Amino acid sequence: MSRSLPRRLGSMAAVAAATAGLLITTAVGAAADSKNGVLETNEFGLYYNSGQLGCVFDVYDHDENFTNDKFKGSCSGSGQSTNDNTASYWNRDSVFDYYVYTDANYRGSWGTIPGGYKGNASSTFKNKISSTNS
């Protein structure tokens, strides 16, 4: 299940109340930070290597198809496709679970990564993840 619109609007309202006038900047910034190769709070990260090592593919909310996604940075795995090429993960969202799928468009085998959890992908998912959703 995708994050609900009320949660996002509630989050934006809280930010706007705390930093008057920055609602639009905050909304644009959240979208721009996703997939930048830096795992930030409220994002889900898939790592090139086990133990949360190597490059990280960071996503906020969902990505239905990793085919055109690549690991970024000057780290192990840089420039490699994210699709079917991840060995570990970290859910930096403390509230929402993330779901990973072995096929694009949320198909195939799926698993749940609880909020705040990190670990190595099981044999079912290691180097087989192709989409994710929160």
Side-chain angles (χ1 to χ4, degrees):
M1 175 179 292
S2 191
R3 295 176 195 233
S4 66
L5 182 58
R7 181 202 182 231
R8 287 195 181 166
L9 292 176
S11 295
M12 285 187 207
V15 170
T19 57
L22 295 179
L23 179 62
I24 293 173
T25 302
T26 300
V28 170
D33 290 339
S34 183
K35 300 182 182 182
N36 65 357
V38 178
L39 184 59
E40 297 158 312
T41 302
N42 298 326
E43 289 184 332
F44 179 68
L46 291 161
Y47 290 84
Y48 183 73
N49 292 324
S50 297
Q52 296 75 50
L53 297 173
C55 288
V56 62
F57 172 69
D58 58 311
V59 63
Y60 178 83
D61 195 20
H62 70 279
D63 188 327
E64 64 188 34
N65 189 341
F66 292 169
T67 301
N68 294 319
D69 296 315
K70 298 195 182 299
F71 289 104
K72 297 178 181 175
S74 56
C75 43
S76 177
S78 181
Q80 297 294 314
S81 173
T82 305
N83 190 54
D84 293 336
N85 210 10
T86 59
S88 60
Y89 50 81
W90 185 4
N91 181 355
R92 289 217 46 211
D93 192 313
S94 61
V95 177
F96 287 95
D97 296 345
Y98 272 84
Y99 303 90
V100 292
Y101 303 84
T102 57
D103 294 330
N105 303 309
Y106 319 120
R107 298 196 188 283
S109 297
W110 63 276
T112 306
I113 312 299
Y117 191 80
K118 63 182 170 179
N120 293 325
S122 69
S123 60
T124 301
F125 296 98
K126 186 173 183 178
N127 296 321
K128 297 176 186 169
I129 299 173
S130 296
S131 57
T132 188
N133 196 7
S134 67

